[in-house]
């Protein structure tokens, strides 16, 4: 069977059900790279210049780990998914950056997603992608539609049942329903950031798990509905400029004003859009003064002491605040 | 006599504080860590026990600082707490009206904002150690000045020179440049103090609302030149509390007291004369998955007491036989 490789990095965390279903509907097999390890990150950072952001290094590492395990690698160039909303340049150039830095990679299957150029262009791009697998346009259309519906259901499941992406992912890989989280909890903390940071446990040093071990209920951006995110983004900044702004500014704005005891923003060192977006949330928190906010910047360091101290201090602060001492 | 013990094992110094049942300080010890946290905790225990009355009975022990988990296992701590909470608790105990706490230690610096007796915000330095005690130590050593002489000399400065404080590497080359230009050492030293204060206010305290009164504590608060630089920059008098260098340990003791009162249980404290015990630390690389974590372990007489450093829980549960 013809096998399509998908690196477990960046937008994989956003769209994997959609991508997987699309290729499977077209009769291809899907290979997903294993979870991030020190070797994956080391391989990625050795190929890129030092200034590149951490998530891009992780991505290239995953591409390298797929070499020899699949017949092609799927790397979309997502330019925009909404009108007049722009994406980080690393996402635009992802297929070309990969070709330049991983010459031994199998052929790269790419697709330009740019809503700014109209829906017709998007449909043509999807058709061109599908043509690698079949000549039958009806089959491609059906695969695309099933993939889109799967993605919508996936989003609705998380937002509707308040499930974290990691729960849904683990359940999907194990073929089970996601388990219910244990109650009761000491406090609720919203952890905001891009899914490729929040759910790559190697990159984020198990932030979510550490909080849960301290009996904290963690809520994340994908538990909010699209309309909640859009409304909060509009309230905070008028409207999104960056493609994945809602999961930071929108989620941050929403949680700051809604029944959580604290908000932690997690971002990668060297991420330009994040440094701007997280600051918006920080400023809003400073103005509202109702919910504490802390931001954490991650890079390649492996020592966890600094992170642990900050998480402990933050949860203590919330705890003592609740007790009133 | 009821005693509550707090132990703060920092990167540069180890502090111990003993409180009585009324939370009054009745004994304290301040030692250099010298890269040997275990030995220093044992030495500290021995020394503090000399200061305590003969009928001292430890009813609660807390540890803090970067080696808090290690120290916690050695002394059988009832509570292991991070430095921020400990410092805040200690300051609110001794100076209840404090609104802002500036704490500068060996490897890290923090700011803690307090409102209505509750911590509402805090900040810590990022990975860079510029603007902490180690940097001052290092520069004093390079200039051949005893760190105790540092403040006296710096306070004699009349025209301090401007030194880049953002990064130690740039700071040092700036200092060397100024020294080769013929500036007086006093002026360079005070310039360094100002750079450290600027770096602190622009980094750690960035975006934090510093309300008065401001309390300045930690080992660096010994340095009167830094205190003066803070006063000049903030245009106020910062309060340096008595025992500012052991606030972390006091906080750990206070929290241990609180914990024991709330929990109503007996202390796990192992005693002051653990000095004879032979603690052995070692490390190995876990090969259970491709993460290859470096696991550190602490053993007493061949029995493993605790392990740290894994990215998963595999080694955290202790198995005396040595296998997971």
């Amino acid at each position: 069977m013809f096998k399509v490789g998908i690196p477990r990095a960046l937008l994989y965390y956003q769209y994997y059900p959609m991508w997987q279903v699309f290729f499977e509907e077209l009769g291809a097999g899907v290979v997903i790279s294993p979870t991030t390890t020190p070797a994956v990150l080391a391989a990625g950072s050795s190929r890129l210049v030092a200034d590149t952001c951490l998530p891009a290094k992780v991505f290239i590492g995953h591409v390298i780990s797929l070499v020899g395990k699949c017949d092609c690698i799927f790397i979309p160039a997502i330019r925009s998914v909404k009108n007049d909303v722009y994406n980080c340049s690393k996402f635009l150039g992802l297929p070309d950056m990969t070709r330049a830095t991983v010459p031994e990679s199998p052929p790269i299957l790419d697709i330009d997603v740019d809503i700014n150029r109209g829906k017709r262009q998007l449909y043509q791009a999807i058709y061109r992608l599908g043509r690698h697998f079949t000549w039958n346009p009806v089959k491609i259309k059906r695969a695309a539609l099933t993939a889109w519906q799967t993605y919508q259901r996936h989003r609705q499941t998380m937002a509707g049942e308040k499930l974290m992406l990691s729960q849904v992912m683990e359940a999907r890989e194990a073929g089970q329903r996601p388990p219910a989280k244990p109650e009761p909890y000491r406090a609720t903390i919203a952890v905001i950031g891009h899914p490729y940071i929040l759910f790559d446990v190697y990159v984020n040093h198990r932030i979510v798990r550490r909080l849960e071990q301290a009996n904290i209920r963690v809520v994340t951006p994908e538990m909010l509905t699209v309309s909640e995110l859009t409304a909060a983004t509009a309230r905070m900044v008028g409207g999104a400029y960056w493609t994945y702004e809602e999961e930071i500014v929108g989620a941050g704005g929403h949680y700051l004003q809604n029944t959580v005891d604290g908000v932690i923003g997690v971002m990668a060192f060297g991420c330009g859009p994040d440094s701007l977006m997280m600051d918006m949330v920080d400023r809003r928190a400073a103005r509202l003064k109702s919910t504490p906010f802390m931001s954490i910047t991650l890079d390649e360091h492996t020592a966890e002491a600094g992170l642990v101290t900050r998480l402990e201090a933050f949860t203590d602060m919330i705890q003592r605040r609740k007790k009133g001492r | 006599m009821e005693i509550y013990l707090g132990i703060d094992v920092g990167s540069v110094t180890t502090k111990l504080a003993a409180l009585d049942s009324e939370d009054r300080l009745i004994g304290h010890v301040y030692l250099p860590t010298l890269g040997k946290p275990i030995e220093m905790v044992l030495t500290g225990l021995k020394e503090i026990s000399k200061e305590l009355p003969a009928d001292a009975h430890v009813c609660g022990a807390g540890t803090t600082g970067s080696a808090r988990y290690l120290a916690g296992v050695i002394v059988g701590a009832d509570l292991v707490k991070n430095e921020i909470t400990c410092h805040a608790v200690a300051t609110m105990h001794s100076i209840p009206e404090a609104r802002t706490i500036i704490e500068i230690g060996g490897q890290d610096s923090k700011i803690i904002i307090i409102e209505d007796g509750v911590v509402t915000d805090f900040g810590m330095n990022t990975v860079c150690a510029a603007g902490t005690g180690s940097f001052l130590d290092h520069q004093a050593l390079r200039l051949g000045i005893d760190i105790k002489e540092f403040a006296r000399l710096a306070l004699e400065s009349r025209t301090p020179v401007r030194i880049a404080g953002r990064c130690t590497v740039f700071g040092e080359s700036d200092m060397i440049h100024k020294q080769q230009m013929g500036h007086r050492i006093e002026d360079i030293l005070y310039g360094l103090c100002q750079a450290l204060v600027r770096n602190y206010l622009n980094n750690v305290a960035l975006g934090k609302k510093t309300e008065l009164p401001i309390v300045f504590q930690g080992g660096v608060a010994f340095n009167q030149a830094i205190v003066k630089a803070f006063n000049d920059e903030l245009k106020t008098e910062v309060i340096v509390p008595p025992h500012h260098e052991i606030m972390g340990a006091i906080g750990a003791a206070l929290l241990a007291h609180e914990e024991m009162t709330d929990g109503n249980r007996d202390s796990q404290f192992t005693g002051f004369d653990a000095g004879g015990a032979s603690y052995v630390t070692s490390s190995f690389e876990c090969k259970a998955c491709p993460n290859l974590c470096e696991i550190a372990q602490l053993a007493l007489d061949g029995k493993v007491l605790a392990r740290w450093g894994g990215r998963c829980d595999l080694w955290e549960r202790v198995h005396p036989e040595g296998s997971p």
Side-chain angles (χ1 to χ4, degrees), chain B residues 31-105:
Chain B
L31 296 164
T33 304
L34 301 173
K36 295 176 285 193
I38 299 175
E39 274 173 48
M40 280 307 149
V41 169
L42 299 178
T43 314
L45 284 174
K46 217 180 296 166
E47 289 198 8
I48 202 164
S49 68
K50 292 180 202 155
E51 292 185 23
L52 301 176
D55 64 337
H57 172 68
V58 174
C59 298
T63 59
T64 186
S66 39
R68 58 186 179 275
Y69 292 105
L70 185 67
V73 173
I74 292 174
V75 304
D78 303 301
L79 170 120
V80 177
K81 247 325 164 219
N82 64 81
E83 304 90 290
I84 291 179
T85 311
C86 288
H87 275 283
V89 166
T91 310
M92 285 190 273
H93 177 72
S94 63
I95 305 169
E97 68 275 17
R99 293 291 303 277
T100 305
I101 303 171
I102 293 173
E103 199 272 340
I104 305 185

Side-chain angles (χ1 to χ4, degrees), chain A residues 171-201:
Chain A
R172 188 186 169 94
E173 284 177 15
Q176 294 161 345
R177 273 192 63 79
K181 290 271 165 170
E183 310 232 3
Y185 38 84
R186 299 198 288 162
T188 304
I189 292 181
V191 180
I192 59 165
H194 299 300
Y196 53 80
I197 304 272
L198 298 189
F199 302 108
D200 187 328
V201 291

Side-chain angles (χ1 to χ4, degrees), chain B residues 221-240:
Chain B
F222 275 124
N223 189 326
Q224 287 304 314
I226 297 278
V227 176
K228 181 174 183 295
F230 264 116
N231 288 345
D232 290 351
E233 192 73 29
L234 292 166
K235 298 187 178 56
T236 178
E237 292 273 314
V238 297
I239 304 166
V240 179

Side-chain angles (χ1 to χ4, degrees), chain A residues 15-52:
Chain A
Y15 300 119
Y16 74 94
M18 174 158 73
W19 296 349
Q20 187 164 2
V21 166
F22 180 74
F23 293 118
E24 283 171 357
E25 284 286 310
L26 293 174
V30 172
V31 184
I32 293 163
S33 58
T35 49
T36 312
T37 62
V40 167
L41 176 57
S45 37
S46 69
R47 300 289 178 102
L48 291 171
V49 290
D51 287 345
T52 322

Side-chain angles (χ1 to χ4, degrees), chain B:
Chain B
M1 184 186 188
E2 255 183 59
I3 297 284
Y4 294 93
L5 198 62
I7 302 170
D8 178 358
V9 189
S11 53
V12 180
T13 53
T14 298
K15 287 80 73 176
L16 283 88
L19 306 180
D20 64 9
S21 56
E22 304 288 312
D23 289 337
R24 282 179 303 235
L25 186 68
I26 52 169
H28 59 93
V29 172
Y30 186 72
L31 296 164
T33 304
L34 301 173
K36 295 176 285 193
I38 299 175
E39 274 173 48
M40 280 307 149
V41 169
L42 299 178
T43 314
L45 284 174
K46 217 180 296 166
E47 289 198 8
I48 202 164
S49 68
K50 292 180 202 155
E51 292 185 23
L52 301 176
D55 64 337
H57 172 68
V58 174
C59 298
T63 59
T64 186
S66 39
R68 58 186 179 275
Y69 292 105
L70 185 67
V73 173
I74 292 174
V75 304
D78 303 301
L79 170 120
V80 177
K81 247 325 164 219
N82 64 81
E83 304 90 290
I84 291 179
T85 311
C86 288
H87 275 283
V89 166
T91 310
M92 285 190 273
H93 177 72
S94 63
I95 305 169
E97 68 275 17
R99 293 291 303 277
T100 305
I101 303 171
I102 293 173
E103 199 272 340
I104 305 185
Q107 278 290 335
D108 62 12
S109 44
K110 338 172 172 55
I111 185 164
I112 305 170
I113 309 291
I114 298 166
E115 231 169 274
D116 303 326
V118 182
V119 176
T120 55
D121 199 5
F122 65 87
M124 272 177 97
N125 61 327
T126 42
V127 278
C128 174
T132 62
S134 319
F135 180 49
L136 290 180
D137 264 348
H138 176 69
Q139 293 309 328
L141 190 73
R142 197 179 61 78
L143 296 169
I145 295 167
D146 189 80
I147 192 73
K148 288 168 189 139
E149 276 289 285
F150 187 114
R152 194 186 58 75
L153 275 174
L155 286 171
E156 281 173 18
S157 159
R158 269 178 296 276
T159 48
V161 295
R162 198 172 169 86
I163 286 167
R166 183 64 83 170
C167 166
T168 49
V169 179
F170 292 135
E172 180 163 328
S173 57
D174 236 15
M175 280 176 67
I176 291 172
H177 175 69
K178 296 278 154 80
Q179 141 205 330
Q180 306 298 62
M181 298 264 292
H183 286 281
R184 291 169 65 232
I185 197 117
E186 294 88 331
D187 295 335
I188 294 175
L189 288 178
Y190 192 63
L192 181 65
C193 295
Q194 289 179 321
L196 185 142
V197 165
R198 250 195 335 266
N199 181 47
Y200 176 89
L201 294 174
N202 293 335
N203 257 319
V204 183
L206 183 72
K208 308 276 183 241
K209 215 165 162 6
T210 45
E211 299 277 356
L212 303 178
I214 299 171
V215 176
F216 177 29
Q217 59 198 44
V220 173
F222 275 124
N223 189 326
Q224 287 304 314
I226 297 278
V227 176
K228 181 174 183 295
F230 264 116
N231 288 345
D232 290 351
E233 192 73 29
L234 292 166
K235 298 187 178 56
T236 178
E237 292 273 314
V238 297
I239 304 166
V240 179
H243 310 300
H244 60 87
E245 76 283 8
I246 53 163
M247 290 302 251
I250 295 176
L254 288 169
L255 284 165
H257 189 180
E258 186 186 302
E259 169 90 5
M260 301 319 276
T261 313
D262 287 359
N264 195 18
R265 59 193 169 96
D266 288 333
S267 177
Q268 306 287 309
F269 184 63
T270 47
F272 288 108
D273 51 355
S278 59
Y279 288 97
V280 180
T281 51
S282 55
S283 65
F284 59 91
E285 196 173 67
C286 171
K287 296 200 169 55
C289 81
N291 278 342
L292 304 177
C293 298
E294 292 161 11
I295 311 289
Q297 63 181 22
L298 174 72
L300 174 62
D301 303 329
K303 187 172 172 289
V304 177
L305 296 176
R307 293 198 182 92
W308 297 270
R311 283 187 158 262
C312 69
D313 312 335
L314 182 64
W315 291 97
E316 272 167 25
R317 285 163 282 127
V318 174
H319 303 270
E321 306 80 35
S323 61

